[in-house]
Amino acid sequence: MKTALVINGPNLNLLGSREPAVYGAQTLADVQQLCERTCAANGLKLDFRQSNHEGELVDWIHEAGRLQTAGQLAGVILNAGAYTHTSVALHDAIKGTGVTLIELHISNVHAREAFRHHSYISAVAKAVMAGFGVNGYALAIAGLAQLSS
Ligand code: CA2
């Protein structure tokens, strides 16, 4: 059974505590449970992580590339948070590893401030998911399962 690696970037540990109108009321622990259930239903194992540190996210993308090459990983679902809009390092890591990656956003970033409209991730992602709330994580896992089958 292959693994889906779900990576959450900066400030997503605050989910459920503030800005419910934008991000909903569910916590990151709730999102992890949703991902557990969805992976089980789609024949995948879940590895669920969060970090506020850009370099740690880069290290995890490198690890994902190695695991995918070894046939153990279906791919990555990445909510890079604000690093989406700033990080050439994440862009280079995804491109350099060639890992299958779905970019995910809880909110519709294109309906928000102009600085959220550009993503350094989209050009190197297999697919992009935005605006479905936290249910987007479940939709992305189902999509990843189809891509890897
Ligand atoms: O919509 C998304 O998922 C975002 O990736 C979330 C990021 C934001 O910078 C992106 O533009 C869009 C922010 C994550 C911070 O989440 C918080 C949740 C609750 C309270 C404070 C922050």
Side-chain angles (χ1 to χ4, degrees):
M1 187 185 285
K2 289 189 182 182
T3 297
L5 175 58
V6 178
I7 299 178
N8 296 281
N11 297 312
L12 284 157
N13 53 311
L14 299 177
L15 264 189
S17 67
R18 287 163 160 217
E19 300 195 68
V22 181
Y23 300 117
Q26 289 186 275
T27 66
L28 197 62
D30 295 330
V31 175
Q32 183 167 359
Q33 283 185 11
L34 171 66
C35 290
E36 288 283 6
R37 288 197 301 276
T38 312
C39 277
N42 284 276
L44 293 169
K45 277 192 294 189
L46 175 68
D47 186 345
F48 190 93
R49 306 182 189 184
Q50 190 273 331
S51 176
N52 293 321
H53 304 281
E54 187 175 13
E56 187 162 38
L57 298 172
V58 168
D59 286 343
W60 289 347
I61 297 293
H62 292 178
E63 180 187 345
R66 291 192 294 272
L67 289 172
Q68 187 161 323
T69 301
Q72 295 167 23
L73 190 86
V76 177
I77 294 161
L78 174 65
N79 185 346
Y83 288 143
T84 303
H85 318 299
T86 63
S87 182
V88 177
L90 280 173
H91 172 106
D92 287 347
I94 297 161
K95 190 173 184 178
T97 58
V99 74
T100 302
L101 184 139
I102 299 177
E103 174 183 353
L104 183 141
H105 301 288
I106 297 166
S107 63
N108 176 0
V109 284
H110 299 288
R112 300 182 64 193
E113 304 96 320
F115 67 82
R116 298 187 202 276
H117 296 179
H118 178 261
S119 167
Y120 282 97
I121 311 297
S122 299
V124 288
K126 180 82 177 169
V128 180
M129 169 86 62
F132 285 97
V134 297
N135 197 44
Y137 284 81
L139 298 170
I141 287 168
L144 183 64
Q146 286 201 9
L147 284 175
S148 81
S149 68

mmCIF file of all heavy atoms in Angstrom, residues 9-20 22-24 78-85 104-109 112-113 115-117 129-131 137, ligand 1:
data_model
loop_
_atom_site.group_PDB
_atom_site.id
_atom_site.type_symbol
_atom_site.label_atom_id
_atom_site.label_comp_id
_atom_site.label_asym_id
_atom_site.label_seq_id
_atom_site.Cartn_x
_atom_site.Cartn_y
_atom_site.Cartn_z
ATOM 1 N N GLY A 9 1.916 23.905 5.747
ATOM 2 C CA GLY A 9 2.940 24.895 6.023
ATOM 3 C C GLY A 9 2.577 25.851 7.144
ATOM 4 O O GLY A 9 1.758 25.534 8.007
ATOM 5 N N PRO A 10 3.167 27.052 7.124
ATOM 6 C CA PRO A 10 3.125 27.962 8.262
ATOM 7 C C PRO A 10 1.719 28.396 8.655
ATOM 8 O O PRO A 10 0.879 28.693 7.801
ATOM 9 C CB PRO A 10 3.948 29.163 7.785
ATOM 10 C CG PRO A 10 3.989 29.047 6.310
ATOM 11 C CD PRO A 10 3.956 27.577 6.015
ATOM 12 N N ASN A 11 1.530 28.416 9.967
ATOM 13 C CA ASN A 11 0.318 28.917 10.632
ATOM 14 C C ASN A 11 -0.886 27.996 10.506
ATOM 15 O O ASN A 11 -1.929 28.259 11.116
ATOM 16 C CB ASN A 11 -0.045 30.331 10.134
ATOM 17 C CG ASN A 11 1.040 31.332 10.469
ATOM 18 O OD1 ASN A 11 1.500 31.381 11.604
ATOM 19 N ND2 ASN A 11 1.494 32.094 9.490
ATOM 20 N N LEU A 12 -0.771 26.904 9.767
ATOM 21 C CA LEU A 12 -1.930 26.012 9.650
ATOM 22 C C LEU A 12 -2.193 25.260 10.957
ATOM 23 O O LEU A 12 -3.284 24.735 11.156
ATOM 24 C CB LEU A 12 -1.763 25.078 8.446
ATOM 25 C CG LEU A 12 -2.050 25.844 7.138
ATOM 26 C CD1 LEU A 12 -1.382 25.194 5.940
ATOM 27 C CD2 LEU A 12 -3.553 25.977 6.906
ATOM 28 N N ASN A 13 -1.224 25.282 11.878
ATOM 29 C CA ASN A 13 -1.472 24.756 13.227
ATOM 30 C C ASN A 13 -2.499 25.613 13.982
ATOM 31 O O ASN A 13 -3.023 25.180 15.000
ATOM 32 C CB ASN A 13 -0.165 24.668 14.022
ATOM 33 C CG ASN A 13 0.604 25.975 14.041
ATOM 34 O OD1 ASN A 13 0.808 26.585 12.984
ATOM 35 N ND2 ASN A 13 1.046 26.410 15.197
ATOM 36 N N LEU A 14 -2.799 26.814 13.462
ATOM 37 C CA LEU A 14 -3.774 27.702 14.109
ATOM 38 C C LEU A 14 -5.200 27.469 13.620
ATOM 39 O O LEU A 14 -6.131 28.124 14.106
ATOM 40 C CB LEU A 14 -3.400 29.171 13.845
ATOM 41 C CG LEU A 14 -2.041 29.626 14.372
ATOM 42 C CD1 LEU A 14 -1.779 31.073 13.967
ATOM 43 C CD2 LEU A 14 -1.973 29.480 15.888
ATOM 44 N N LEU A 15 -5.356 26.559 12.671
ATOM 45 C CA LEU A 15 -6.704 26.294 12.120
ATOM 46 C C LEU A 15 -7.721 26.062 13.240
ATOM 47 O O LEU A 15 -7.436 25.329 14.197
ATOM 48 C CB LEU A 15 -6.691 25.035 11.257
ATOM 49 C CG LEU A 15 -6.526 25.134 9.748
ATOM 50 C CD1 LEU A 15 -6.764 23.759 9.144
ATOM 51 C CD2 LEU A 15 -7.459 26.166 9.149
ATOM 52 N N GLY A 16 -8.897 26.651 13.072
ATOM 53 C CA GLY A 16 -9.968 26.449 14.046
ATOM 54 C C GLY A 16 -9.956 27.450 15.180
ATOM 55 O O GLY A 16 -10.941 27.585 15.897
ATOM 56 N N SER A 17 -8.836 28.167 15.338
ATOM 57 C CA SER A 17 -8.727 29.103 16.465
ATOM 58 C C SER A 17 -9.048 30.535 16.074
ATOM 59 O O SER A 17 -9.378 31.355 16.921
ATOM 60 C CB SER A 17 -7.313 29.045 17.060
ATOM 61 O OG SER A 17 -6.365 29.556 16.134
ATOM 62 N N ARG A 18 -8.898 30.877 14.792
ATOM 63 C CA ARG A 18 -9.132 32.240 14.286
ATOM 64 C C ARG A 18 -9.621 32.169 12.844
ATOM 65 O O ARG A 18 -9.448 31.151 12.200
ATOM 66 C CB ARG A 18 -7.825 33.028 14.272
ATOM 67 C CG ARG A 18 -7.338 33.435 15.619
ATOM 68 C CD ARG A 18 -5.885 33.806 15.518
ATOM 69 N NE ARG A 18 -5.519 34.637 16.663
ATOM 70 C CZ ARG A 18 -4.677 35.648 16.607
ATOM 71 N NH1 ARG A 18 -4.110 35.977 15.470
ATOM 72 N NH2 ARG A 18 -4.368 36.336 17.683
ATOM 73 N N GLU A 19 -10.162 33.275 12.375
ATOM 74 C CA GLU A 19 -10.595 33.425 10.985
ATOM 75 C C GLU A 19 -11.493 32.284 10.495
ATOM 76 O O GLU A 19 -11.282 31.754 9.398
ATOM 77 C CB GLU A 19 -9.381 33.551 10.048
ATOM 78 C CG GLU A 19 -8.500 34.765 10.365
ATOM 79 C CD GLU A 19 -7.539 35.085 9.229
ATOM 80 O OE1 GLU A 19 -8.028 35.494 8.171
ATOM 81 O OE2 GLU A 19 -6.327 34.898 9.416
ATOM 82 N N PRO A 20 -12.511 31.892 11.292
ATOM 83 C CA PRO A 20 -13.387 30.794 10.842
ATOM 84 C C PRO A 20 -14.144 31.120 9.551
ATOM 85 O O PRO A 20 -14.482 30.209 8.802
ATOM 86 C CB PRO A 20 -14.335 30.573 12.022
ATOM 87 C CG PRO A 20 -14.290 31.843 12.798
ATOM 88 C CD PRO A 20 -12.906 32.397 12.617
ATOM 89 N N VAL A 22 -12.964 32.437 6.960
ATOM 90 C CA VAL A 22 -12.091 32.133 5.815
ATOM 91 C C VAL A 22 -11.724 30.651 5.784
ATOM 92 O O VAL A 22 -11.766 30.018 4.719
ATOM 93 C CB VAL A 22 -10.789 32.982 5.875
ATOM 94 C CG1 VAL A 22 -9.896 32.676 4.673
ATOM 95 C CG2 VAL A 22 -11.104 34.461 5.952
ATOM 96 N N TYR A 23 -11.365 30.094 6.950
ATOM 97 C CA TYR A 23 -10.779 28.747 6.977
ATOM 98 C C TYR A 23 -11.659 27.691 7.637
ATOM 99 O O TYR A 23 -11.286 26.514 7.680
ATOM 100 C CB TYR A 23 -9.422 28.785 7.700
ATOM 101 C CG TYR A 23 -8.420 29.703 7.018
ATOM 102 C CD1 TYR A 23 -7.918 30.830 7.651
ATOM 103 C CD2 TYR A 23 -7.988 29.430 5.722
ATOM 104 C CE1 TYR A 23 -7.016 31.670 7.023
ATOM 105 C CE2 TYR A 23 -7.081 30.265 5.083
ATOM 106 C CZ TYR A 23 -6.602 31.384 5.740
ATOM 107 O OH TYR A 23 -5.705 32.208 5.116
ATOM 108 N N GLY A 24 -12.860 28.109 8.158
ATOM 109 C CA GLY A 24 -13.741 27.157 8.815
ATOM 110 C C GLY A 24 -13.376 26.985 10.281
ATOM 111 O O GLY A 24 -12.417 27.585 10.770
ATOM 112 N N LEU A 78 0.195 19.324 -0.796
ATOM 113 C CA LEU A 78 0.901 20.408 -0.106
ATOM 114 C C LEU A 78 0.025 21.643 0.024
ATOM 115 O O LEU A 78 -0.378 22.232 -0.979
ATOM 116 C CB LEU A 78 2.176 20.781 -0.886
ATOM 117 C CG LEU A 78 2.943 22.008 -0.363
ATOM 118 C CD1 LEU A 78 3.505 21.771 1.039
ATOM 119 C CD2 LEU A 78 4.077 22.380 -1.328
ATOM 120 N N ASN A 79 -0.278 22.012 1.281
ATOM 121 C CA ASN A 79 -0.797 23.349 1.554
ATOM 122 C C ASN A 79 0.383 24.124 2.126
ATOM 123 O O ASN A 79 0.695 24.019 3.320
ATOM 124 C CB ASN A 79 -1.965 23.326 2.537
ATOM 125 C CG ASN A 79 -2.568 24.716 2.714
ATOM 126 O OD1 ASN A 79 -1.972 25.723 2.320
ATOM 127 N ND2 ASN A 79 -3.752 24.776 3.300
ATOM 128 N N ALA A 80 1.046 24.870 1.275
ATOM 129 C CA ALA A 80 2.272 25.569 1.677
ATOM 130 C C ALA A 80 1.978 26.872 2.405
ATOM 131 O O ALA A 80 2.919 27.606 2.741
ATOM 132 C CB ALA A 80 3.152 25.825 0.455
ATOM 133 N N GLY A 81 0.687 27.168 2.661
ATOM 134 C CA GLY A 81 0.350 28.401 3.358
ATOM 135 C C GLY A 81 0.930 29.600 2.628
ATOM 136 O O GLY A 81 0.981 29.639 1.390
ATOM 137 N N ALA A 82 1.417 30.572 3.380
ATOM 138 C CA ALA A 82 1.931 31.801 2.771
ATOM 139 C C ALA A 82 3.199 31.563 1.942
ATOM 140 O O ALA A 82 3.507 32.368 1.051
ATOM 141 C CB ALA A 82 2.196 32.849 3.849
ATOM 142 N N TYR A 83 3.929 30.475 2.205
ATOM 143 C CA TYR A 83 5.118 30.177 1.374
ATOM 144 C C TYR A 83 4.743 29.912 -0.080
ATOM 145 O O TYR A 83 5.580 30.009 -0.970
ATOM 146 C CB TYR A 83 5.895 28.988 1.941
ATOM 147 C CG TYR A 83 6.638 29.266 3.221
ATOM 148 C CD1 TYR A 83 6.726 28.287 4.215
ATOM 149 C CD2 TYR A 83 7.257 30.485 3.451
ATOM 150 C CE1 TYR A 83 7.405 28.520 5.401
ATOM 151 C CE2 TYR A 83 7.928 30.736 4.638
ATOM 152 C CZ TYR A 83 8.004 29.748 5.612
ATOM 153 O OH TYR A 83 8.674 29.984 6.784
ATOM 154 N N THR A 84 3.469 29.576 -0.316
ATOM 155 C CA THR A 84 2.974 29.440 -1.688
ATOM 156 C C THR A 84 3.347 30.664 -2.527
ATOM 157 O O THR A 84 3.726 30.537 -3.695
ATOM 158 C CB THR A 84 1.422 29.361 -1.675
ATOM 159 O OG1 THR A 84 1.024 28.276 -0.853
ATOM 160 C CG2 THR A 84 0.854 29.225 -3.075
ATOM 161 N N HIS A 85 3.228 31.828 -1.902
ATOM 162 C CA HIS A 85 3.329 33.095 -2.625
ATOM 163 C C HIS A 85 4.739 33.691 -2.587
ATOM 164 O O HIS A 85 4.963 34.768 -3.137
ATOM 165 C CB HIS A 85 2.322 34.098 -2.041
ATOM 166 C CG HIS A 85 0.985 33.505 -1.739
ATOM 167 N ND1 HIS A 85 0.190 32.949 -2.727
ATOM 168 C CD2 HIS A 85 0.307 33.311 -0.569
ATOM 169 C CE1 HIS A 85 -0.925 32.481 -2.172
ATOM 170 N NE2 HIS A 85 -0.872 32.679 -0.862
ATOM 171 N N LEU A 104 -2.695 22.584 -2.619
ATOM 172 C CA LEU A 104 -4.016 22.707 -1.999
ATOM 173 C C LEU A 104 -4.138 23.994 -1.200
ATOM 174 O O LEU A 104 -3.201 24.380 -0.491
ATOM 175 C CB LEU A 104 -4.252 21.509 -1.066
ATOM 176 C CG LEU A 104 -5.629 21.469 -0.386
ATOM 177 C CD1 LEU A 104 -6.149 20.062 -0.326
ATOM 178 C CD2 LEU A 104 -5.601 22.082 0.992
ATOM 179 N N HIS A 105 -5.304 24.633 -1.329
ATOM 180 C CA HIS A 105 -5.642 25.769 -0.474
ATOM 181 C C HIS A 105 -7.070 25.603 0.025
ATOM 182 O O HIS A 105 -7.972 25.247 -0.749
ATOM 183 C CB HIS A 105 -5.504 27.087 -1.222
ATOM 184 C CG HIS A 105 -4.121 27.287 -1.729
ATOM 185 N ND1 HIS A 105 -3.074 27.586 -0.890
ATOM 186 C CD2 HIS A 105 -3.594 27.140 -2.965
ATOM 187 C CE1 HIS A 105 -1.963 27.639 -1.606
ATOM 188 N NE2 HIS A 105 -2.252 27.367 -2.856
ATOM 189 N N ILE A 106 -7.256 25.881 1.298
ATOM 190 C CA ILE A 106 -8.590 25.795 1.892
ATOM 191 C C ILE A 106 -9.491 26.872 1.290
ATOM 192 O O ILE A 106 -10.645 26.618 0.950
ATOM 193 C CB ILE A 106 -8.476 25.969 3.427
ATOM 194 C CG1 ILE A 106 -7.638 24.821 4.025
ATOM 195 C CG2 ILE A 106 -9.852 26.047 4.071
ATOM 196 C CD1 ILE A 106 -7.181 25.061 5.458
ATOM 197 N N SER A 107 -8.962 28.071 1.189
ATOM 198 C CA SER A 107 -9.734 29.201 0.643
ATOM 199 C C SER A 107 -9.492 29.322 -0.860
ATOM 200 O O SER A 107 -8.528 28.752 -1.395
ATOM 201 C CB SER A 107 -9.294 30.493 1.343
ATOM 202 O OG SER A 107 -7.925 30.763 1.084
ATOM 203 N N ASN A 108 -10.359 30.091 -1.520
ATOM 204 C CA ASN A 108 -10.141 30.416 -2.936
ATOM 205 C C ASN A 108 -9.191 31.618 -2.990
ATOM 206 O O ASN A 108 -9.626 32.768 -2.901
ATOM 207 C CB ASN A 108 -11.459 30.720 -3.634
ATOM 208 C CG ASN A 108 -11.239 31.146 -5.084
ATOM 209 O OD1 ASN A 108 -10.101 31.206 -5.560
ATOM 210 N ND2 ASN A 108 -12.305 31.447 -5.779
ATOM 211 N N VAL A 109 -7.915 31.326 -3.128
ATOM 212 C CA VAL A 109 -6.904 32.392 -3.053
ATOM 213 C C VAL A 109 -7.122 33.452 -4.146
ATOM 214 O O VAL A 109 -6.743 34.612 -3.956
ATOM 215 C CB VAL A 109 -5.473 31.808 -3.145
ATOM 216 C CG1 VAL A 109 -5.082 31.152 -1.834
ATOM 217 C CG2 VAL A 109 -5.326 30.831 -4.294
ATOM 218 N N ARG A 112 -9.224 36.468 -3.146
ATOM 219 C CA ARG A 112 -8.725 37.205 -1.982
ATOM 220 C C ARG A 112 -7.731 38.300 -2.419
ATOM 221 O O ARG A 112 -7.762 38.732 -3.564
ATOM 222 C CB ARG A 112 -8.115 36.203 -0.993
ATOM 223 C CG ARG A 112 -9.140 35.168 -0.501
ATOM 224 C CD ARG A 112 -8.538 34.215 0.494
ATOM 225 N NE ARG A 112 -8.116 34.919 1.699
ATOM 226 C CZ ARG A 112 -7.331 34.366 2.641
ATOM 227 N NH1 ARG A 112 -6.912 33.121 2.505
ATOM 228 N NH2 ARG A 112 -6.992 35.062 3.703
ATOM 229 N N GLU A 113 -6.869 38.726 -1.526
ATOM 230 C CA GLU A 113 -5.932 39.820 -1.824
ATOM 231 C C GLU A 113 -5.043 39.461 -3.018
ATOM 232 O O GLU A 113 -4.694 38.294 -3.220
ATOM 233 C CB GLU A 113 -5.025 40.104 -0.620
ATOM 234 C CG GLU A 113 -5.746 40.420 0.682
ATOM 235 C CD GLU A 113 -5.894 39.207 1.569
ATOM 236 O OE1 GLU A 113 -6.172 38.098 1.053
ATOM 237 O OE2 GLU A 113 -5.749 39.375 2.797
ATOM 238 N N PHE A 115 -1.941 39.735 -3.478
ATOM 239 C CA PHE A 115 -0.673 39.047 -3.187
ATOM 240 C C PHE A 115 -0.840 37.539 -3.044
ATOM 241 O O PHE A 115 0.153 36.795 -3.063
ATOM 242 C CB PHE A 115 0.035 39.647 -1.955
ATOM 243 C CG PHE A 115 -0.677 39.430 -0.636
ATOM 244 C CD1 PHE A 115 -0.544 38.242 0.066
ATOM 245 C CD2 PHE A 115 -1.459 40.441 -0.085
ATOM 246 C CE1 PHE A 115 -1.168 38.047 1.288
ATOM 247 C CE2 PHE A 115 -2.102 40.255 1.145
ATOM 248 C CZ PHE A 115 -1.969 39.060 1.828
ATOM 249 N N ARG A 116 -2.096 37.066 -2.930
ATOM 250 C CA ARG A 116 -2.323 35.605 -2.871
ATOM 251 C C ARG A 116 -2.593 35.007 -4.255
ATOM 252 O O ARG A 116 -2.826 33.815 -4.389
ATOM 253 C CB ARG A 116 -3.506 35.284 -1.948
ATOM 254 C CG ARG A 116 -3.282 35.702 -0.512
ATOM 255 C CD ARG A 116 -4.404 35.218 0.391
ATOM 256 N NE ARG A 116 -4.470 36.007 1.604
ATOM 257 C CZ ARG A 116 -3.732 35.809 2.695
ATOM 258 N NH1 ARG A 116 -2.881 34.800 2.742
ATOM 259 N NH2 ARG A 116 -3.839 36.591 3.753
ATOM 260 N N HIS A 117 -2.614 35.840 -5.302
ATOM 261 C CA HIS A 117 -2.985 35.329 -6.630
ATOM 262 C C HIS A 117 -1.845 34.609 -7.326
ATOM 263 O O HIS A 117 -2.076 33.772 -8.197
ATOM 264 C CB HIS A 117 -3.493 36.469 -7.525
ATOM 265 C CG HIS A 117 -4.743 37.105 -7.019
ATOM 266 N ND1 HIS A 117 -5.360 38.149 -7.652
ATOM 267 C CD2 HIS A 117 -5.509 36.822 -5.918
ATOM 268 C CE1 HIS A 117 -6.444 38.505 -6.972
ATOM 269 N NE2 HIS A 117 -6.552 37.709 -5.917
ATOM 270 N N MET A 129 -5.883 22.592 -6.130
ATOM 271 C CA MET A 129 -7.205 22.529 -5.496
ATOM 272 C C MET A 129 -7.353 23.747 -4.587
ATOM 273 O O MET A 129 -6.493 23.980 -3.742
ATOM 274 C CB MET A 129 -7.246 21.236 -4.675
ATOM 275 C CG MET A 129 -8.394 21.061 -3.731
ATOM 276 S SD MET A 129 -9.828 20.357 -4.520
ATOM 277 C CE MET A 129 -9.228 18.760 -5.039
ATOM 278 N N ALA A 130 -8.422 24.520 -4.763
ATOM 279 C CA ALA A 130 -8.601 25.697 -3.910
ATOM 280 C C ALA A 130 -10.070 26.024 -3.751
ATOM 281 O O ALA A 130 -10.838 25.927 -4.717
ATOM 282 C CB ALA A 130 -7.874 26.906 -4.501
ATOM 283 N N GLY A 131 -10.453 26.395 -2.542
ATOM 284 C CA GLY A 131 -11.773 26.962 -2.315
ATOM 285 C C GLY A 131 -12.830 25.987 -1.824
ATOM 286 O O GLY A 131 -13.978 26.384 -1.645
ATOM 287 N N TYR A 137 -9.064 18.662 1.233
ATOM 288 C CA TYR A 137 -8.056 17.632 1.549
ATOM 289 C C TYR A 137 -8.579 16.249 1.129
ATOM 290 O O TYR A 137 -7.830 15.446 0.571
ATOM 291 C CB TYR A 137 -7.726 17.628 3.040
ATOM 292 C CG TYR A 137 -6.841 18.764 3.498
ATOM 293 C CD1 TYR A 137 -7.368 20.018 3.762
ATOM 294 C CD2 TYR A 137 -5.471 18.577 3.691
ATOM 295 C CE1 TYR A 137 -6.563 21.066 4.196
ATOM 296 C CE2 TYR A 137 -4.657 19.615 4.124
ATOM 297 C CZ TYR A 137 -5.210 20.859 4.372
ATOM 298 O OH TYR A 137 -4.405 21.887 4.783
HETATM 299 O O1 CA2 B 1 -6.281 28.919 1.853
HETATM 300 C C1 CA2 B 1 -5.258 28.338 2.234
HETATM 301 O O2 CA2 B 1 -5.233 27.150 2.562
HETATM 302 C C2 CA2 B 1 -3.962 29.138 2.391
HETATM 303 O O3 CA2 B 1 -2.889 28.320 1.935
HETATM 304 C C3 CA2 B 1 -3.811 29.432 3.871
HETATM 305 C C4 CA2 B 1 -2.637 30.352 4.204
HETATM 306 C C5 CA2 B 1 -2.623 31.584 3.315
HETATM 307 O O4 CA2 B 1 -1.446 32.333 3.553
HETATM 308 C C6 CA2 B 1 -2.702 31.224 1.836
HETATM 309 O O5 CA2 B 1 -2.745 32.423 1.081
HETATM 310 C C7 CA2 B 1 -3.956 30.414 1.556
HETATM 311 C C8 CA2 B 1 -2.711 30.808 5.658
HETATM 312 C C9 CA2 B 1 -2.735 29.699 6.652
HETATM 313 C C10 CA2 B 1 -2.949 30.285 8.023
HETATM 314 O O6 CA2 B 1 -4.111 29.702 8.563
HETATM 315 C C11 CA2 B 1 -4.664 30.254 9.650
HETATM 316 C C12 CA2 B 1 -5.766 29.628 10.162
HETATM 317 C C13 CA2 B 1 -6.399 30.139 11.256
HETATM 318 C C14 CA2 B 1 -5.922 31.288 11.875
HETATM 319 C C15 CA2 B 1 -4.819 31.915 11.357
HETATM 320 C C16 CA2 B 1 -4.182 31.383 10.251
#
